[in-house]
Amino acid sequence: MATSSSTPSTTGHGPHSAPHGGNPFTPGFGLTPMILAGRDVAIEEFTAALAGNVPEARAILISGARGSGKTVLLTEFRELALDAGWTDLRMHTSSTSLTDELRSQAIARLRELDPEAETSHLTSARISALSASRDVVQRYEGEGEVLTTVLDRLAALTDEDGGGLLITLDELQSVDRDQLHALTQHVQDLIGSGHAVAFIAAGVRTGVDALLDHERTTFLRRAHRIEVGSVDVGTAAEAIRMTIADTAKTITPEAAVLAGEISQGYPYLIQLIGSKAWQHSGDAETIEIEDVRRARDTVVAAMIKNVHGPALRGLSARKREYLRAMLEDEGPSAVGDIARRMAIDPRNQSTYRERLIEDDLIRPAGRGFVEFSLPYLAEALRHEEREGVGADIEPDRGLTRSHRSRRDPRPR
Ligand SMILES: Nc1ncnc2c1ncn2[C@@H]1O[C@H](COP(=O)(O)OP(=O)(O)OP(=O)(O)O)[C@@H](O)[C@H]1O
Ligand SMILES: [Mg+2]
């Protein structure tokens, strides 16, 4: 997983900016944070790619673990492109046909951009302001218009005003391979015709790697790969401090450091610990170390529920056993020890090792050692051991009076 010690950068265009006085953190998937930790190099390179004329630099593949900030980076790139006067087409992997979607989106954009897209003419013989019936002829509606022509026309229009055409595709791991092939074929054609075109895809690393093994994904294999992941804890602490500095509250240096440590630099946790510490500070002007300390358990529970729970649910018994065998060690585990604890042959050990690395649950940690890939996986496994596989992290035991009872406490 890539790490970066760079300074966090302010995002110029978070669509989810907190209202004045509100909690400024964004602990939700796909939500752009106020401060981006550790993405400055990627952003600089993309800005240069937009301005430059190296087509290869504009084919980008963002990959990483769940919650590592892929969607956020994709969104940031899109906003940069829009600022630079580009036009975007967003593909959704859930659509039944990517090319149909490409077509309808391209037509919609053409209508906005092309002054000749709609020609209205008056069909009534007696033309008067009141009785004229209008027939709107839409240029791109017809069956006859081939997708290549539509895209070519759109790209020509976007080139004209110094911009370009950006096509984005998130959740790449769930896309159909043939559909992806058809889509990238169109992208390649456009680039081949000399148009300014950028293509950005993002997806979970493991799924993306499996996809790239396929022979018809050459285009993506050659794309510029950006691996997003955790940042170092110092950068995380600074991102938390800067997020709060933009508000009416402040955070003590020690509290920011502890929050950075609890996040372990993992983007989702940076937002989560920031958000919870903010909540715990209540009306106080300063977020103290105690607010952060009190938030830790809730944060770990949310990480287990939202990130590890789904990943562990479908795990085979042997793989789970392998992960549990790692729990005895404080830091990285020696693979020899794991084999011994599982009472299996070291060669079988390496089969499970490979599969768990593919699943992004563990990663190599020097020769003969492995460690958990994401923060608090050990806690998630211990929770499972205690409560049973698939047990809810926050059992629903609390009782709250509903609004009915609060309004009218006496039953009638
Ligand atoms: N560079 C960053 N700095 C700080 N926080 C970030 C950064 N990138 C993302 N986040 C936060 O991390 C969380 C996850 O971001 P995002 O949804 O982009 O992850 P993802 O990799 O797309 O996840 P998934 O695999 O589920 O699609 C969000 O709460 C977001 O606000
Ligand atoms: Mg995402």
Side-chain angles (χ1 to χ4, degrees):
M1 194 167 284
T3 57
S4 161
S5 56
S6 44
T7 15
S9 50
T10 309
T11 56
H13 14 244
H16 306 282
S17 321
H20 189 71
N23 192 324
F25 291 96
T26 53
F29 294 90
L31 299 183
T32 298
M34 301 302 286
I35 305 290
L36 289 174
R39 303 290 181 251
D40 53 345
V41 175
I43 286 171
E44 226 171 80
E45 282 178 5
F46 183 68
T47 310
L50 281 175
N53 51 12
V54 183
E56 292 78 37
R58 293 176 180 159
I60 295 170
L61 174 51
I62 301 169
S63 62
R66 295 199 53 216
S68 57
K70 301 178 294 293
T71 300
V72 163
L73 190 60
L74 178 80
T75 307
E76 197 59 21
F77 283 170
R78 178 192 299 132
E79 294 291 332
L80 285 169
L82 294 178
D83 283 354
W86 285 51
T87 297
D88 74 318
L89 302 176
R90 299 182 205 181
M91 300 299 111
H92 297 277
T93 46
S94 53
S95 73
T96 39
S97 162
L98 280 181
T99 44
D100 283 355
E101 187 173 17
L102 185 63
R103 184 192 169 79
S104 64
Q105 285 217 20
I107 288 173
R109 287 291 184 275
L110 267 174
R111 292 224 178 93
E112 293 162 17
L113 290 174
D114 185 355
E116 293 156 32
E118 282 186 16
T119 20
S120 57
H121 47 191
L122 301 169
T123 50
S124 172
R126 283 182 307 116
I127 298 168
S128 83
L130 284 174
S131 67
S133 72
R134 282 179 130 216
D135 227 2
V136 178
V137 179
Q138 292 183 324
R139 262 179 86 145
Y140 304 100
E141 203 95 79
E143 287 273 304
E145 210 68 84
V146 190
L147 177 54
T148 318
T149 318
V150 173
L151 288 172
D152 218 59
R153 173 97 179 113
L154 178 61
L157 280 172
T158 55
D159 288 349
E160 252 169 41
D161 39 285
L165 187 60
L166 170 68
I167 299 171
T168 63
L169 179 66
D170 201 354
E171 305 284 344
L172 179 65
Q173 73 279 356
S174 3
V175 79
D176 175 83
R177 282 189 305 223
D178 293 334
Q179 301 238 0
L180 178 67
H181 179 72
L183 176 67
T184 54
Q185 207 59 48
H186 282 290
V187 174
Q188 271 176 292
D189 286 351
L190 286 166
I191 295 173
S193 314
H195 293 301
V197 172
F199 180 73
I200 309 174
V204 178
R205 210 202 70 209
T206 51
V208 168
D209 283 346
L211 193 69
L212 293 189
D213 280 341
H214 197 255
E215 55 181 18
R216 294 173 89 195
T217 52
T218 322
F219 177 73
L220 273 184
R221 229 175 293 139
R222 293 193 186 135
H224 175 55
R225 181 93 175 240
I226 300 177
E227 187 80 23
V228 294
S230 297
V231 300
D232 66 89
V233 295
T235 306
E238 185 55 11
I240 292 167
R241 195 197 59 76
M242 278 174 71
T243 306
I244 296 164
D246 287 343
T247 71
K249 281 188 196 269
T250 52
I251 183 166
T252 66
E254 310 79 62
V257 167
L258 180 63
E261 283 167 7
I262 291 174
S263 79
Q264 297 189 26
Y266 179 68
Y268 171 58
L269 287 178
I270 294 177
Q271 300 307 316
L272 201 57
I273 186 67
S275 172
K276 294 294 173 194
W278 175 284
Q279 276 174 23
H280 282 303
S281 70
D283 293 335
E285 250 173 46
T286 309
I287 300 176
E288 307 281 351
I289 197 158
E290 199 42 45
D291 299 318
V292 177
R293 214 171 266 143
R294 276 166 56 214
R296 186 185 184 277
D297 288 352
T298 329
V299 164
V300 174
M303 179 72 182
I304 295 177
K305 184 176 177 172
N306 298 328
V307 177
H308 297 313
L312 291 177
R313 215 165 286 145
L315 210 65
S316 74
R318 274 304 208 183
K319 283 190 191 169
R320 181 172 272 109
E321 202 184 318
Y322 190 105
L323 296 176
R324 285 184 179 175
M326 291 171 64
L327 286 176
E328 282 183 40
D329 305 300
E330 272 296 317
S333 304
V335 293
D337 290 346
I338 297 173
R340 197 173 35 75
R341 289 168 193 159
M342 291 177 75
I344 58 171
D345 191 274
R347 265 167 311 181
N348 289 342
Q349 176 281 133
S350 67
T351 313
Y352 297 120
R353 175 182 174 276
E354 288 317 309
R355 289 197 201 144
L356 287 165
I357 290 174
E358 273 168 28
D359 292 344
D360 226 352
L361 289 167
I362 63 171
R363 63 183 172 205
R367 215 180 146 74
F369 283 85
V370 290
E371 64 186 2
F372 296 122
S373 304
L374 293 182
Y376 307 115
L377 180 56
E379 279 78 353
L381 290 160
R382 289 201 189 97
H383 169 79
E384 259 194 8
E385 274 186 332
R386 274 195 316 271
E387 308 286 328
V389 172
D392 204 332
I393 184 82
E394 297 148 314
D396 285 338
R397 292 199 188 109
L399 305 169
T400 313
R401 286 200 178 281
S402 77
H403 71 279
R404 283 188 61 198
S405 158
R406 286 195 303 272
R407 269 179 216 156
D408 182 9
R410 278 168 306 143
R412 267 179 274 186

